[in-house]
Amino acid sequence: MSYVAIKNIRKTFNDQTVLHDIELSFEKGELVTLLGPSGCGKSTLLRILAGLTRQDSGTISLDGKDITNLKPKAREIGMVFQSYALFPNMTVLENISFGLKMKKEDSQTIKNKVARMIELTGLEGKENSYPRELSGGQQQRVALARSLVMEPKVLLLDEPLSALDAQIRKKLQQQLRTIQRELKMTMVLVTHDQEEAMAISDRIFILNQGRIAQQGTPNEIYARPANEFVAGFIGNYNVLTKEELARFIPNVANWSHSIYAIRPEAFTLKKDGKSYEITGLINQVSMLGNITRYTIQNDKMTMMIDQLHQTQSTLQENESRTFFLREEDIIPIA
Amino acid sequence: MKRMNWFAASFLIPFSIMVLMFLIVPILSMIYDSFQKSGTGFTFENYQTVFESDFYLQAFANSIKISLFSSLLALFAAIFATYSLTKFPQSVQDKVMNFANLTSNFAGVPLAFAFIILLGNSGLFVLLFEKMGISGMSSFNLYSMAGIILIYIYFQLPLAVMLLFPIYHGIQDQWKEAASILGASNTQFWLRIGVPVILPSLVGTFSILFANAMGAYATVYALTGSSYNMLPVRIGALVSGDVFAQPELASALALALGVILVIAMLFNEWLMRMVRRDLR
């Protein structure tokens, strides 16, 4: 049996079903991500796991124990909120030790555990600061420490990094992953940022309109999107119908599927084994740092192509070029 | 440095003139008057009279007691009433707030009259309870300190509700959720987080209620004439003159009243900072 097993969870708000009999499970020590656009039900599912929202039906078990009807504090689950939810009238030290005090741990234990968390999250020197005196990144680390110090069986993170600027977000993503591995903590991260999900997850569950659209490792999901929604949501896939594809590749008439997805970086300028030739007019060139993105057009149909940036060989707009695409990089999805 | 916009600032001129004429000048003249005695020049005699007279000291004591109790009781009731109000739908909240606005301004002569009709010596409820054989009401005297406190609470409570209403929106639901996940009960949340967070607003509201009660004149005057000894009634009597006017003595009393309000405010601030160390 899985460490965490969610079975047939259904939730309806005002006649609108936001979760349709969700089934998912994961193992101890995994960092799993619930990924999806806003309104897909991922935060609701997280709140149901924490016991903050009641499901209409379904069960949740944790470490072999049914926790479906337990109160939040009895579930041994921690949660970090998007808005940090730090107590403004308490110092960093008081915020982190709050839960342990509620548990009536003795003061020496509290002192030791809190000191360890402060060290782990790099908050040394901020012990006596109040939340309003801290930066967003520091506040989020306090929120993380406050949950981790309780040694929960599962830690839930509700878009914990989305209010931070890009640079700090990247740094905290790595720090989160390092801490998770060091403590072998089971974590569930909710995010709408596919890059973030790809970067730090062991496993990703993609949600769409209250249903799981696909689950798998980041690699599996990126390489083999299971349906049109996932292909459109992950990366910058070119999603084309068979008819649209026919404008670039002849002889597709007898192919079995009706929709195909192609990663923009799968195109090469050199022929490599059994490849299709894709020819078109380059009508847009945009620099995205380490890659250059070209839009090529053929018979009113466009395709996005990413190439690693090379100063010498940048292609020009209005230039007609032929790219090569290997057969296995055309992924049938529907 | 930001350049001053003289055009925009010029709109402040009429307001500044009004504040100067009707607030600053009267206060300065009051301070000056309080140290004058007709014909004798600068003197402390007025203050001597005030602080050596048992009668005036009793007026201070009565005013402070009534203001303190009515403010504390109204604040205490408002804390719960307002919290309960935040749990109702928006439309109900709007209606109750409108009603609170109305009733908080319903003070003075009409209010005193309403209470006389309901709870006076031959008031509606007094007679009704007498007929029903409930004896508790017969010992209640509207024209006593308890009666005056009751009337004061009537206009203090809605004011407190109006002042406290916005602060509950400052309590984030996620603080409650975070606290509950960390093992705190609802009571523990309010004791350790909720109340300390709203404390500055409670203290501010208390200061306003206290000042409101200390200065209230018409209600108690309409209810008791000048027979109940309170500070605003005494000041009123000295200005309009039951026998003859003594504006200098009235100024000294008024200044003492102002000093009491300032002391009360400073004490509240100090007390709050003892609890909310993060606001230091």
Side-chain angles (χ1 to χ4, degrees), chain B residues 41-213:
Chain B
F42 185 86
T43 172
F44 284 105
E45 207 183 315
N46 295 319
Y47 290 99
Q48 209 173 353
T49 312
V50 168
F51 292 112
E52 281 178 356
S53 150
D54 287 343
F55 185 58
Y56 288 130
L57 290 180
Q58 188 200 34
F60 275 110
N62 283 345
S63 271
I64 291 172
K65 267 189 222 159
I66 286 171
S67 303
L68 198 66
F69 285 129
S70 69
S71 304
L72 283 176
L73 288 170
L75 187 65
F76 186 72
I79 289 171
F80 295 97
T82 315
Y83 180 66
S84 143
L85 185 59
T86 60
K87 301 285 161 197
F88 280 91
Q90 186 69 43
S91 60
V92 177
Q93 293 183 10
D94 291 344
K95 286 191 184 86
V96 173
M97 289 310 283
N98 274 335
F99 184 70
N101 197 347
L102 195 80
T103 46
S104 69
N105 283 298
F106 184 65
V109 182
L111 178 68
F113 185 60
F115 267 83
I116 290 169
I117 290 176
L118 295 175
L119 292 168
N121 288 339
S122 352
L124 181 75
F125 284 115
V126 176
L127 298 180
L128 191 70
F129 286 132
E130 217 172 85
K131 285 267 185 243
M132 288 164 72
I134 299 166
S135 58
M137 283 304 287
S138 59
S139 60
F140 176 77
N141 178 7
L142 184 62
Y143 312 101
S144 66
M145 182 177 280
I148 294 171
I149 288 176
L150 184 72
I151 294 189
Y152 274 39
I153 289 174
Y154 182 86
F155 63 80
Q156 297 267 62
L157 179 60
L159 181 63
V161 168
M162 284 205 304
L163 293 170
L164 290 185
F165 187 66
I167 69 165
Y168 278 103
H169 294 289
I171 302 261
Q172 289 178 20
D173 283 340
Q174 295 201 331
W175 293 340
K176 278 189 216 169
E177 292 175 349
S180 81
I181 289 174
L182 291 169
S185 67
N186 203 30
T187 316
Q188 281 168 324
F189 167 78
W190 281 105
L191 278 180
R192 287 168 173 270
I193 299 141
V195 172
V197 167
I198 63 173
L199 193 73
S201 307
L202 294 183
V203 167
T205 303
F206 176 78
S207 292
I208 292 172
L209 294 181
F210 186 72
N212 191 37

Side-chain angles (χ1 to χ4, degrees), chain A residues 242 245 249-258 260 276 327 330 332:
Chain A
K242 188 156 72 173
L245 198 58
I249 304 170
N251 315 323
V252 297
N254 56 348
W255 289 14
S256 56
H257 288 71
S258 57
Y260 295 85
Y276 293 105
E327 196 176 344
I330 304 175

Side-chain angles (χ1 to χ4, degrees), chain A residues 61 69 116 176 186 201 205 215 220 251 277 319 334:
Chain A
S61 73
N69 297 312
R116 162 131 204 266
L176 189 67
T186 315
S201 315
F205 294 87
Q215 59 167 299
E220 282 166 2
N251 315 323
E277 284 182 18
E319 186 181 343

Side-chain angles (χ1 to χ4, degrees), chain A residues 47 83 86 89 130 132, chain B residues 174-175 177 180 192 277-278:
Chain A
R47 291 176 59 84
S83 65
L86 296 178
N89 59 319
Y130 286 93
R132 66 183 165 86
Chain B
Q174 295 201 331
W175 293 340
E177 292 175 349
S180 81
R192 287 168 173 270
R277 287 161 298 139
D278 57 313

